């Protein structure tokens, strides 16, 4: 069994509403509490980072699965939403919704479209981050499949 380690350094010099910094490989950014939680909103925050981890893991997994299946695409993009519930002052990361848009080649068959939808669904359960948060955060998919327009 091979293990991979990822390292992050964090520095938080102040109090609740101050600003800190993290460094993890190529990710170097300021961090603070978001304005929705009455913070300064400088840099990023744990909520955005969890959403970012889930979204990047999903879209990279989907692209790799499409490549392995020899399903050619014109483009792949996505919007994701993280929903945090606040009940009695307790913040709970409730749900992540991924809305991928897969643009297939203009001559894509119905079989290609069906495969794209199958892979988009399978990528969610194959992604390491999705598996890590499964059972704690609800995951939802809203897939859009298009074909490239003829030029």
């Amino acid at each position: 069994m091979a293990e991979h380690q990822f390292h992050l350094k964090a520095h938080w010099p102040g109090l609740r509403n101050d600003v800190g910094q993290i460094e993890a490989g190529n990710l170097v950014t300021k961090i603070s509490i978001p304005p929705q939680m009455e913070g300064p909103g400088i840099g990023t925050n744990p909520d955005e980072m969890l959403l970012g981890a889930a979204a990047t893991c999903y879209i990279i997994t989907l692209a790799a699965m499409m490549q392995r299946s020899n399903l050619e695409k014109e483009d792949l993009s996505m919007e994701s939403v993280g929903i945090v519930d606040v009940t009695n002052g307790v913040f709970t990361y409730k749900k992540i919704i991924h809305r991928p848009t897969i643009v297939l080649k203009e001559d894509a068959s119905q079989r290609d479209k069906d495969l794209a939808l199958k892979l988009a669904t399978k990528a969610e359960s194959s992604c390491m981050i999705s598996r890590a948060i499964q059972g704690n955060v609800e995951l939802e998919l809203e897939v859009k499949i298009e074909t490239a327009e003829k030029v």
Side-chain angles (χ1 to χ4, degrees):
M1 178 175 89
E3 288 186 345
H4 301 283
Q5 293 187 2
F6 298 92
H7 298 270
L8 181 141
K9 290 181 184 178
H11 183 232
W12 192 270
L15 301 174
R16 181 195 187 275
N17 281 346
D18 286 317
V19 178
Q21 181 167 323
I22 58 167
E23 293 182 31
N26 291 323
L27 175 64
V28 178
T29 187
K30 292 180 184 215
I31 54 171
S32 71
I33 295 173
Q36 300 91 319
M37 297 175 183
E38 299 175 6
I42 296 171
T44 190
N45 58 69
D47 309 281
E48 289 175 345
M49 289 177 45
L50 180 61
L51 180 61
T56 53
C57 184
Y58 173 81
I59 202 166
I60 292 168
T61 300
L62 176 54
M65 293 173 87
M66 291 175 77
Q67 180 180 353
R68 279 194 300 272
S69 298
N70 295 314
L71 180 61
E72 292 187 38
K73 64 175 173 55
E74 207 49 55
D75 194 24
L76 174 59
S77 61
M78 187 169 75
E79 291 184 17
S80 295
V81 178
I83 299 170
V84 175
D85 178 65
V86 185
T87 303
N88 298 326
V90 176
F91 295 88
T92 304
Y93 217 112
K94 184 178 173 185
K95 181 194 289 192
I96 291 176
I97 305 167
H98 293 314
R99 296 184 176 117
T101 299
I102 302 167
V103 182
L104 300 174
K105 299 287 185 182
E106 66 181 69
D107 59 350
S109 66
Q110 186 58 49
R111 185 182 164 280
D112 292 337
K113 294 175 187 175
D114 293 344
L115 179 58
L117 181 59
K118 178 182 173 186
L119 294 176
T121 303
K122 189 176 179 187
E124 186 62 75
S125 59
S126 301
C127 162
M128 176 178 66
I129 302 298
S130 296
R131 290 194 320 265
I133 63 176
Q134 192 173 21
N136 291 309
V137 178
E138 183 184 343
L139 299 168
E140 189 176 305
L141 267 181
E142 297 174 9
V143 182
K144 189 188 314 182
I145 298 171
E146 303 173 351
T147 51
E149 296 191 21
K150 295 178 183 178
V151 181

